[in-house]
Amino acid sequence: GCSLAFNLAAKGQANVLVVERGAIGEGSTGRCAGGVRQQFSTEVNVRIGMRSVEILKRFEALTGQPADFKQIGYLIVAPDDEAMTDLRRSLAIQKKAGLRDAVEVDVGEIGRLVPGLRTEDLRGGTFCPSDGIAGPSELTQGYAHAARKHGVRIIEGLDVSGLEHRNGAWRVTTGRGEIRADMVVCCAGAWSGKIGEMAGIEVPVTPFRRHIFVTKPFDNITHQTPMTVDIRTSFYFHPEGDGVLLGMTDPAEPASFRTDVDWDFLDHMVQHATERFPALEEAEIMTGWAGLYEVTPDNQAIIGETERPG
């Protein structure tokens, strides 16, 4: 939302308003892992990832604020032949899209990239050194800061309770009255389905809880250890300060808006974590949190204009 507001205003759209029911960046943004990758399985997503990296590299010059972007790379490992076939297929798509530094890596190279990673069961992987991690809050606040400089108004702590298109204009009902607009863009992420319902439009976005845990200082990785992902189990980790950030998808998790931490899930994740990276047995968990991940029927983004009802 803040990115869109900044880009619209920077291109001369003077009257832009962002409505946020909480504080900017406190929802899914502030609870994500911060990964920045270009290694996708569709050409459009590869191109979006490449464009994102270009923007992040000059983000401070663009907005006046740093994004804490670190190009430590993404290493994706395959523990079976089927997974390796999928990675090779994706790599071919990435090359076609122009991502030149993504490469296939063998087991020996994987061991050199992440010393201590268990590799004897692996078939190989892919690595892209220009991928990395960035600060989700820094990025959002940077866009918000730059958007305000261009005249964008951002109202925080304002709930939207109604949305309809009537007499040629959108009418947005809030706790402080009605806002009228020529166009409304839904940037609500996991809550997009709820916003669509208000307008009488089906937006097939479903929220799922995702957990992240961070360890106390941990000496077995460095600040340059790449974001490492096991494509089969979805377990991933990357350096976070002097510790390590751990995450994993729970395939048994039902859809919900829950963001409380299920500490029992930590035991499940630790089992997979220590199998892939045995040194993690020595790590102590410092904190954990949960956020919402938005899922669509085809796992692709929904971008475009709907037919206006009414």
Side-chain angles (χ1 to χ4, degrees):
C2 291
S3 168
L4 178 62
F6 163 73
N7 281 284
L8 284 173
K11 293 179 185 302
Q13 177 62 46
N15 192 15
V16 180
L17 172 67
V18 177
V19 178
E20 166 59 57
R21 72 173 180 177
I24 289 295
E26 75 170 10
S28 296
T29 296
R31 296 168 179 262
C32 74
V36 178
R37 69 182 169 106
Q38 304 154 95
Q39 295 182 78
F40 287 98
S41 59
T42 62
E43 187 169 346
V44 64
N45 283 340
V46 176
R47 292 186 180 279
I48 290 172
M50 292 168 63
R51 178 64 173 149
S52 298
V53 167
E54 290 176 11
I55 292 170
L56 284 166
K57 288 168 69 174
R58 56 186 179 87
F59 188 78
E60 189 164 1
L62 187 68
T63 68
Q65 303 289 318
D68 197 24
F69 182 40
K70 301 180 180 70
Q71 289 181 284
I72 58 176
Y74 251 75
L75 172 65
I76 306 175
V77 301
D80 56 62
D81 291 332
E82 183 182 359
M84 195 64 225
T85 298
D86 289 342
L87 286 182
R88 287 177 177 140
R89 186 181 299 115
S90 295
L91 185 60
I93 292 169
Q94 294 154 23
K95 294 295 187 183
K96 181 182 177 183
L99 183 62
R100 305 194 184 284
D101 60 341
V103 295
E104 181 176 337
V105 288
D106 60 21
V107 172
E109 182 62 18
I110 291 171
R112 287 187 287 274
L113 286 166
V114 187
L117 197 75
R118 188 171 72 87
T119 60
E120 58 265 27
D121 66 324
L122 296 180
R123 298 296 185 269
T126 57
F127 178 64
C128 182
S130 57
D131 290 344
I133 54 177
S137 294
E138 289 87 345
L139 193 67
T140 307
Q141 294 300 334
Y143 272 130
H145 171 79
R148 288 186 177 105
K149 288 174 63 176
H150 281 279
V152 171
R153 292 171 295 154
I154 299 176
I155 303 178
E156 299 175 90
L158 184 59
D159 232 355
V160 171
S161 57
L163 178 62
E164 64 175 332
H165 193 264
R166 190 171 74 247
N167 299 327
W170 284 100
R171 297 165 188 262
V172 183
T173 304
T174 77
R176 301 180 205 169
E178 187 177 85
I179 300 169
R180 298 189 184 186
D182 295 327
M183 178 172 287
V184 172
V185 183
C186 175
C187 298
W191 294 268
S192 296
K194 297 291 186 182
I195 298 296
E197 287 176 11
M198 294 180 190
I201 299 167
E202 182 183 3
V203 182
V205 171
T206 306
F208 286 88
R209 179 173 60 170
R210 293 289 185 262
H211 285 84
I212 287 175
F213 299 94
V214 177
T215 73
K216 293 180 180 179
F218 182 68
D219 294 334
N220 292 84
I221 66 171
T222 74
H223 291 158
Q224 296 306 311
T225 299
M227 166 79 105
T228 304
V229 183
D230 185 323
I231 191 174
R232 183 58 69 215
T233 66
S234 80
F235 169 67
Y236 65 86
F237 65 90
H238 71 65
E240 182 75 8
D242 292 326
V244 57
L245 181 149
L246 315 170
M248 186 176 175
T249 298
D250 180 1
E253 177 85 26
S256 76
F257 284 98
R258 292 180 58 182
T259 56
D260 58 308
V261 175
D262 178 4
W263 290 98
D264 290 337
F265 179 66
L266 176 60
D267 294 334
H268 174 75
M269 187 172 71
V270 165
Q271 178 184 348
H272 288 279
T274 54
E275 286 176 358
R276 181 54 59 206
F277 195 27
L280 284 169
E281 290 183 359
E282 304 169 14
E284 291 184 65
I285 297 297
M286 178 174 65
T287 188
W289 63 85
L292 295 178
Y293 191 81
E294 61 267 35
V295 176
T296 62
D298 64 356
N299 293 314
Q300 302 299 308
I302 298 173
I303 302 174
E305 189 172 0
T306 66
E307 293 184 8
R308 299 185 179 188

